[in-house]
Amino acid sequence: MSKFMSFDASVRNVFKDDEANYKDFQKLMRDAANKNVEGYSEKEANEKISAIFLKVIGCDKNSSRREIRKAIRRNQVAIYDLLEETIDDLLVSGWDDDPFMREWVEVRNLALGDKNEFYVEDSSVLSVMRVSGNHHDIIRQRLGRGKAFTVETSWLAIKVYAEYERIATGIESMAQFSIKITEAFNQYLNQAIYDALMEVGETLGTQFYKTSALDDTTKETLRTLCMDVSIATGQPVAILGTRVALGSVFDLTGVDWFSNDMKNEMYTTGKMAYFEGIPLVEIKQGFKKNDTTQYLISNTTLFIMPISAEKMIKLVYEGDTQMYTIHDPDTNVDLTESTEVLEKIGIGIVTNQKFGIWEIVA
């Protein structure tokens, strides 16, 4: 049974009991949250979204704040049904739009029936021996067996507060309320993935973990590191980093070697797509929670990652957002409602693949 059919009948009636209308509403919420609305302004999009939520609680634009407040209290489960689905949708669609997540992270959404099980091929390498004449004295090698494993998940929670009557009347944007929650979870995941990669990277050894300046004197070392990762994995590689970190790679290419297309790309975007044929992929940067002086990801770290069908980062998302409200007037004397939003997520790193890290030092 689809999630739409599990909604209360009054909610389905708002969408004329047609799941296609609900899908259109989901897309509107997603587009408004990402500021990518076509056909009308952002303000008009928020007005359309507010109108839907008012219908869900049995109100309209002519309802008084008192009527809206009482309706919200009566219909909070219906509101949360829509919000939970919206947040799920924003999370998953956001991962699909992120080139790093798309290329190096395998996402399992257990809400869609996927098993929390991954299979990794054995990483052993077969030796090849030269055979002459009728000599067959060759060392026999047994292919190692692959392994299946699961990624442990745990609950993540954030607490926010909102005056839902302001949202329902369009004073505040429901889309932005949803995107702020989504951004908080994405921020946590980006930090967790980065920390996990760094933890594994410290075990790689000096061949694959470099700590050095990045300039003309070490350019050959960077080439060698990229080559070593490619040889070890049997795959082409890409260089990943924040925009600032990748700037150190841009500086290795003198402008006298630039084609006109490269010069135009550098002028319009401030960056290049390749370094000597190796793709450069920007990792989205962000600030740590409530601190604009601390970055989520180091601006001095480069990752040399294999481009492989076997994605080394595993993300398990038990896609069932849960929301709870605290509306005790003794707890929130300003009449706002505190909302806890919970997601169950786990991250795993497959360590049978080599990758490289370059820590840039002055």
Side-chain angles (χ1 to χ4, degrees):
M1 183 176 68
S2 70
K3 290 186 176 181
F4 176 74
M5 295 306 297
S6 68
F7 288 162
D8 184 88
S10 61
V11 177
R12 296 200 306 271
N13 288 338
V14 170
F15 300 100
K16 300 180 180 178
D17 210 18
D18 187 342
E19 189 166 1
N21 291 333
Y22 169 66
K23 293 292 185 183
D24 289 341
F25 170 74
Q26 270 193 317
K27 183 178 186 306
L28 177 63
M29 284 283 286
R30 183 170 63 246
D31 291 347
N34 295 323
K35 300 185 185 299
N36 187 33
V37 180
E38 295 182 2
Y40 32 79
S41 68
E42 184 180 341
K43 180 175 181 294
E44 290 170 333
N46 286 326
E47 287 173 349
K48 290 172 73 71
I49 291 168
S50 294
I52 292 292
F53 274 94
L54 283 171
K55 285 184 180 179
V56 167
I57 62 175
C59 295
D60 58 35
K61 63 181 180 180
N62 297 317
S63 300
S64 67
R65 290 175 70 93
R66 180 173 181 272
E67 290 171 330
I68 290 173
R69 185 164 55 248
K70 288 180 175 293
I72 287 171
R73 188 162 58 239
R74 288 194 307 268
N75 297 278
Q76 198 163 72
V77 172
I79 293 174
Y80 279 4
D81 280 346
L82 287 181
L83 277 176
E84 288 170 356
E85 291 305 305
T86 299
I87 292 168
D88 284 344
D89 185 50
L90 286 171
L91 277 172
V92 175
S93 62
W95 296 333
D96 290 341
D97 293 338
D98 186 327
F100 171 75
M101 297 286 285
R102 191 169 57 243
E103 188 66 50
W104 284 279
V105 182
E106 181 178 352
V107 179
R108 290 284 175 86
N109 187 339
L110 301 190
L112 298 179
D114 291 339
K115 291 178 63 177
N116 182 3
E117 183 174 281
F118 299 89
Y119 180 82
V120 179
E121 294 287 352
D122 175 67
S123 60
S124 59
V125 178
L126 290 176
S127 300
V128 177
M129 297 186 64
R130 180 177 299 173
V131 178
S132 60
N134 60 359
H135 169 62
H136 299 285
D137 186 14
I138 304 171
I139 298 174
R140 293 189 304 167
Q141 301 169 80
R142 184 173 184 272
L143 283 175
R145 298 171 64 182
K147 293 181 180 180
F149 66 96
T150 61
V151 174
E152 183 179 351
T153 60
S154 58
W155 285 103
L156 309 177
I158 58 175
K159 182 178 286 188
V160 296
Y161 74 87
E163 298 175 84
Y164 288 107
E165 61 194 270
R166 290 173 60 83
I167 292 175
T169 54
I171 298 173
E172 294 181 9
S173 164
M174 182 66 80
Q176 286 306 309
F177 176 76
S178 301
I179 198 64
K180 288 298 182 184
I181 294 172
T182 306
E183 285 176 346
F185 282 115
N186 279 335
Q187 185 183 59
Y188 173 87
L189 287 174
N190 287 340
Q191 176 76 64
I193 289 172
Y194 167 75
D195 289 344
L197 280 175
M198 291 301 296
E199 185 176 346
V200 173
E202 291 173 358
T203 69
L204 293 173
T206 56
Q207 180 179 1
F208 295 96
Y209 191 102
K210 305 294 184 184
T211 302
S212 171
L214 190 58
D215 53 32
D216 287 340
T217 65
T218 57
K219 184 190 294 188
E220 186 62 32
T221 306
L222 177 62
R223 290 194 190 104
T224 302
L225 176 57
C226 293
M227 180 182 68
D228 287 350
V229 172
S230 183
I231 293 172
T233 61
Q235 304 292 339
V237 300
I239 300 175
L240 284 64
T242 67
R243 189 184 184 97
V244 174
L246 290 178
S248 299
V249 183
F250 305 157
D251 293 342
L252 295 178
T253 306
V255 294
D256 53 323
W257 289 86
F258 279 22
S259 67
N260 288 332
D261 287 343
M262 291 171 65
K263 290 177 182 178
N264 185 59
E265 181 182 19
M266 197 68 175
Y267 177 75
T268 55
T269 68
K271 55 187 179 181
M272 295 185 302
Y274 295 90
F275 166 71
E276 297 185 350
I278 300 171
L280 303 177
V281 180
E282 181 178 343
I283 300 176
K284 293 180 181 178
Q285 183 60 283
F287 292 120
K288 291 189 176 181
K289 183 180 178 181
N290 300 325
D291 188 351
T292 58
T293 66
Q294 297 290 321
Y295 294 109
L296 285 177
I297 300 170
S298 170
N299 285 320
T300 59
T301 301
L302 295 171
F303 296 96
I304 290 78
M305 303 287 286
I307 304 173
S308 170
E310 176 59 52
K311 299 176 181 179
M312 64 186 301
I313 303 168
K314 311 298 183 183
L315 171 63
V316 174
Y317 168 57
E318 297 190 21
D320 187 14
T321 302
Q322 296 189 24
M323 301 180 70
Y324 303 94
T325 291
I326 301 171
H327 38 210
D328 178 2
D330 294 329
T331 303
N332 298 322
V333 295
D334 57 357
L335 299 182
T336 59
E337 295 190 335
S338 295
T339 300
E340 287 191 2
V341 186
L342 294 94
E343 301 284 357
K344 202 169 187 182
I345 296 175
I347 297 172
I349 306 289
V350 177
T351 56
N352 72 329
Q353 287 196 56
K354 289 291 187 183
F355 65 98
I357 291 180
W358 188 295
E359 286 283 5
I360 305 170
V361 297

